[in-house]
Amino acid sequence: MTSKSLKSVIFWNAISQFGTSGVSFLSTIILARLLSPSDFGLLGLISIFIAISQMMIDAQMGGALLRKKDVDKIDYSTLFWFNLAISIVLYLVLFFVAPVVADFYSEPILKGLIRVLALTFFIFACRVTQRVMIFRECKFHIMALINISSGLLALISAIWFANRGYGVWSLVLMQLVNGFAALIMMFIYNRFIPLLKFSRESFQYQFHFGINILGAEFLKSIVNNIGTNIIGKISSLQFTGYYTQSSKITDFVNGCYTGILDQSIFPYMSRLSDFDKITGLYKKLFLLIIIGTSCAVVVLYCFAYQIVELILGVEWVSATPVFRVLCIGIIPMTAQTICRNLLKTLGITSQIFKIEIWKTLCLGIGFACCFSFGATAIIWSIVLVQYISAIIWIGISIQMIKKRVYKP
C-alpha cells in the first residue's frame, strides 16, 4: 500500500469515526433533555456486563484474519460459528444472572433491561465476520456509510420512544436498532452466508492470535466499566448518571482518535512487513495524536461548565466537577491505544495481556485506597491509574522497538 492509500484509509475512517461519534454525541445532547440522570445511571450499571460479553464474543479473533495473507470462506465461517456459539452461552448466563444483579442494586427493572439488552449479543456475533470482510478489503467508505446510517436510525427511534415515556427503555431499544440496522446493511454489501463447516486449523490460528488480546480486552473492559458499578453502589443513581454522561462526552473526544487507530491504522499496518516502516509511522502518529489530544483537553477543561450546560442542559451542570476530572484522563488513554495498536501490529500480543494485568492490579489498589472516601475519590483513582498505565505502555513499546521484536 502506498502513502496515498494510507491517507485514503485515514480519511474514510475519520469520516466514519467522526460521523459515528457525532451521532452518538447528538444523541447525548437530545436524550439528556428527554430522559433523567437516573435513566442513564440505570443503563450505566449494566454496561460492564454487556461490554465484557460483546468483547468475549469477538474474542479478538477477527484481528487474526486481518493479518492473514490469504483468507477463504472457511476461515470466515469458522469465525462466524464460534462467535454465534459464544453469544448463545453468554446470553443464557446473563439471563439467569439478571435477577441477582437486580437484587444487588435493589433495582428490579435491571432484570428486564439486562435480558433485553443482551439480545444484542446475537446481532454482534453475526456482525463481527461481516465487519472483518469489509476491513480486509479496506472499504472504509462503506463502513462509514453503514455506521452513520445505522446510528441515525437508532437515534430517531430513541427520540420516538423517549417522547412517548419509555424512559430508560429508549436507550436499550436504541442499541438494538443500531446493531440490527448495521447488520442488515453489512449483509446487503457482503452477501455472506456462512458454510456449514468449522475448520479446526483455522480456529487454532485465529485463537492463538486472539487469546492474549482477549485476556487483555477482558481486563480492559473491567477497568473501563467497573467504576460505574462501584459508584452506583456507593452513590445515588443521579450521581451515577452524571458520571455516565460525562464519560460519553470525554469518550467522544477519545473515540475520535482511538477509533481511527483501531479501525484503519491497525488493518493498514497489519499488511506491512517492514519493521522500520511500521515503527516509524507509529512514532509520527504518536506525536501528532498526543498534541491534538492535549489541545482538546485544555479546551474541554477550561470551558467545562459551558460545555456541560450546552450539551446536557442546565439540570446537568452539577456534573461539571466530574467532567473536569475525566477530561484529565483522556491523554493517557489515547497514548495507551497507540501503543496497543503498535504491539498488535508487531504480533506481540502476550505483552498486551501482561500490561493489562498490571493495570487491573493498580486499579484494584486504587479502589481499595479510595473506597471509603466516596465516589469522587474513586473517579480520581481511575484517572491516576490511566497515567500509570500509559507510562508502562510507553516503556514496553520502546523496549520492543529497541529489541526489534516482530512476529509476522
Side-chain angles (χ1 to χ4, degrees):
M1 287 188 183
T2 63
S3 160
K4 186 176 180 181
S5 299
L6 177 58
K7 290 178 181 178
S8 176
V9 166
I10 294 175
F11 172 77
W12 280 111
N13 199 260
I15 294 295
S16 174
Q17 194 58 45
F18 279 103
T20 305
S21 298
V23 172
S24 177
F25 196 58
L26 184 61
S27 70
T28 300
I29 296 174
I30 297 173
L31 296 177
R33 288 161 171 77
L34 298 175
L35 303 173
S36 68
S38 297
D39 290 327
F40 291 98
L42 282 169
L43 195 66
L45 291 177
I46 62 176
S47 61
I48 186 171
F49 304 106
I50 305 302
I52 290 176
S53 298
Q54 289 186 343
M55 173 271 305
M56 291 183 70
I57 290 169
D58 182 9
Q60 297 301 310
M61 289 166 56
L65 297 187
L66 289 175
R67 298 181 83 245
K68 191 177 180 182
K69 290 185 178 179
D70 299 310
V71 179
D72 56 28
K73 200 167 183 178
I74 294 179
D75 292 320
Y76 288 130
S77 298
T78 300
L79 178 61
F80 176 87
W81 292 119
F82 172 79
N83 290 336
L84 188 60
I86 294 298
S87 69
I88 294 171
V89 172
L90 290 174
Y91 181 82
L92 291 174
V93 170
L94 275 191
F95 185 89
F96 291 108
V97 168
V100 179
V101 176
D103 290 341
F104 179 77
Y105 289 107
S106 300
E107 294 289 345
I109 193 175
L110 288 179
K111 182 173 74 171
L113 290 176
I114 291 174
R115 288 176 172 177
V116 174
L117 190 55
L119 292 172
T120 57
F121 295 171
F122 304 114
I123 298 172
F124 188 79
C126 296
R127 205 172 62 177
V128 171
T129 306
Q130 304 276 3
R131 189 178 58 192
V132 170
M133 294 176 74
I134 295 174
F135 283 160
R136 266 195 68 85
E137 295 176 3
C138 290
K139 300 293 185 179
F140 296 103
H141 61 290
I142 299 296
M143 206 67 239
L145 292 172
I146 291 174
N147 287 338
I148 295 171
S149 300
S150 60
L152 287 172
L153 286 172
L155 174 57
I156 292 170
S157 67
I159 294 172
W160 191 88
F161 285 114
N163 276 321
R164 281 154 183 76
Y166 281 82
V168 66
W169 286 103
S170 306
L171 301 174
V172 173
L173 293 169
M174 179 172 70
Q175 295 197 34
L176 286 168
V177 171
N178 190 3
F180 188 70
L183 174 61
I184 294 298
M185 285 184 269
M186 288 180 192
F187 175 76
I188 292 173
Y189 176 77
N190 287 319
R191 302 288 180 176
F192 171 74
I193 298 177
L195 301 173
L196 295 177
K197 292 182 179 181
F198 186 90
S199 169
R200 179 181 296 181
E201 182 182 351
S202 179
F203 173 76
Q204 289 176 343
Y205 171 79
Q206 295 178 51
F207 188 77
H208 179 72
F209 175 84
I211 185 61
N212 286 310
I213 301 180
L214 171 62
E217 289 297 322
F218 178 80
L219 295 176
K220 182 184 175 185
S221 293
I222 292 177
V223 169
N224 289 345
N225 293 281
I226 193 65
T228 305
N229 295 79
I230 294 176
I231 291 170
K233 186 62 180 176
I234 67 177
S235 188
S236 65
L237 272 180
Q238 184 179 43
F239 188 86
T240 306
Y242 289 158
Y243 175 75
T244 302
Q245 289 301 87
S246 296
S247 297
K248 285 186 178 180
I249 302 176
T250 54
D251 287 346
F252 170 76
V253 178
N254 188 50
C256 289
Y257 295 108
T258 59
I260 294 173
L261 286 166
D262 287 333
Q263 297 181 28
S264 63
I265 302 301
F266 171 62
Y268 173 84
M269 294 292 190
S270 296
R271 312 296 286 274
L272 301 178
S273 56
D274 188 322
F275 178 86
D276 292 323
K277 186 174 183 179
I278 292 172
T279 54
L281 285 171
Y282 268 113
K283 288 176 183 177
K284 292 178 182 178
L285 284 170
F286 186 89
L287 182 61
L288 290 172
I289 292 175
I290 292 300
I291 291 175
T293 304
S294 301
C295 293
V297 167
V298 171
V299 173
L300 289 173
Y301 190 90
C302 293
F303 298 96
Y305 184 92
Q306 292 84 353
I307 291 171
V308 171
E309 183 179 13
L310 176 66
I311 296 172
L312 301 178
V314 178
E315 64 274 19
W316 290 81
V317 292
S318 297
T320 302
V322 175
F323 176 63
R324 279 202 170 107
V325 176
L326 292 176
C327 285
I328 299 173
I330 294 176
I331 298 172
M333 289 176 67
T334 305
Q336 291 173 59
T337 301
I338 300 171
C339 294
R340 176 189 296 271
N341 276 276
L342 170 62
L343 296 184
K344 279 172 63 179
T345 302
L346 297 178
I348 319 171
T349 56
S350 59
Q351 290 293 338
I352 297 175
F353 187 31
K354 290 176 183 177
I355 295 172
E356 288 298 338
I357 292 176
W358 281 107
K359 183 176 179 179
T360 305
L361 290 173
C362 290
L363 190 67
I365 294 171
F367 284 163
C369 295
C370 299
F371 188 83
S372 59
F373 294 98
T376 302
I378 292 292
I379 297 173
W380 272 108
S381 70
I382 293 172
V383 172
L384 178 61
V385 168
Q386 294 292 1
Y387 275 93
I388 294 173
S389 301
I391 293 171
I392 296 174
W393 274 104
I394 294 170
I396 295 295
S397 297
I398 292 173
Q399 187 180 22
M400 293 299 103
I401 291 174
K402 286 182 178 179
K403 291 183 177 180
R404 299 184 69 82
V405 179
Y406 181 44
K407 298 179 181 179

